[in-house]
Amino acid sequence: MPEPVYVWDIDRTIVRSSLERHFLKYLRTDVSKFSLWKTAWHWFWLSLRIPPPPLWRTKLAYLRGFTVNEVDYWFETCFSSRVMPVLYAGSVTAIRKLRTENQRLVLVSGTPRPLAERMAKHLGIKHVIAAEPEVVDNRYTGRLLHPHPHAKYKVAAVQRLLDDQDWSWEQVVALADHHDDEYLLGRA
């Protein structure tokens, strides 16, 4: 049997709640120049659970206009102050054990890539599938470069990684806990 590929969903599997919710809460409470209406707009659309197209392009509208440097600072501060304390110890231990066994690990999340990459770096994971924010002239546009990786789009994103790495679905062991992950779990 070929070596397994462990695909871990981040939200509610490695961290309580979701990375993006922690980040939005951080922005709302700790960043004075972040306007409350941007957070409210984002939460309104999330609460409706509107299917991605055509709204997937504006998933990160709350970042529109901010520079890469200031948002990276916010991602880093949020990760260290808000996310690190709410990591599930059992998941972190399991991932570290798999890493010591040289297993193939992939993180997948709908959170912005720069925040998901901080999680991957902390856990020592090389492969990350996340929401790819568009940046023009060193500023976030609020749009995504690709469909938001959730539900069926998460499966398509994993498929691209499998193709790039010459891996197959027969190798995939998926760990997730949300109804949006049923497509990924079903495919694995």
Side-chain angles (χ1 to χ4, degrees), residues 12-178:
R12 293 172 303 279
T13 308
I14 298 173
V15 65
R16 281 187 215 123
S17 186
S18 78
L19 282 179
E20 194 165 20
R21 283 191 180 162
H22 287 291
F23 183 62
L24 288 169
K25 192 173 190 177
Y26 164 80
L27 290 176
R28 195 174 63 245
T29 59
D30 294 9
V31 178
S32 60
K33 68 166 136 179
F34 189 81
S35 63
L36 188 57
W37 73 266
K38 286 186 177 187
T39 305
W41 183 92
H42 179 74
W43 282 109
F44 172 73
W45 289 112
L46 275 182
S47 68
L48 292 178
R49 296 195 187 276
I50 293 177
L55 292 176
W56 68 263
R57 292 256 324 143
T58 59
K59 170 77 168 82
L60 300 179
Y62 61 92
L63 294 179
R64 182 178 297 130
F66 293 109
T67 67
V68 170
N69 287 341
E70 64 189 331
V71 174
D72 278 350
Y73 173 78
W74 297 339
F75 282 142
E76 186 59 40
T77 305
C78 174
F79 188 80
S80 60
S81 67
R82 302 250 178 167
V83 175
M84 291 287 291
V86 295
L87 294 178
Y88 289 124
S91 295
V92 172
T93 300
I95 289 169
R96 290 194 172 141
K97 182 178 185 308
L98 291 169
R99 258 194 37 244
T100 62
E101 297 169 0
N102 294 318
Q103 298 293 331
R104 299 170 179 152
L105 299 167
V106 178
L107 289 184
V108 61
S109 178
T111 199
R113 176 175 274 285
L115 188 54
E117 285 176 339
R118 281 165 173 76
M119 177 70 74
K121 181 179 178 184
H122 174 71
L123 297 171
I125 295 176
K126 177 181 172 184
H127 302 285
V128 177
I129 296 169
E132 299 280 353
E134 180 182 67
V135 175
V136 174
D137 296 329
N138 201 38
R139 290 192 179 274
Y140 285 92
T141 66
R143 294 186 298 267
L144 292 173
L145 295 173
H146 308 289
H148 186 257
H150 84 284
K152 293 183 239 181
Y153 299 100
K154 191 177 281 188
V155 173
V158 171
Q159 181 65 60
R160 284 190 298 277
L161 177 67
L162 295 175
D163 292 343
D164 288 347
Q165 298 297 316
D166 200 27
W167 297 337
S168 69
W169 280 104
E170 289 73 33
Q171 296 172 264
V172 174
V173 176
L175 296 104
D177 76 329
H178 197 258

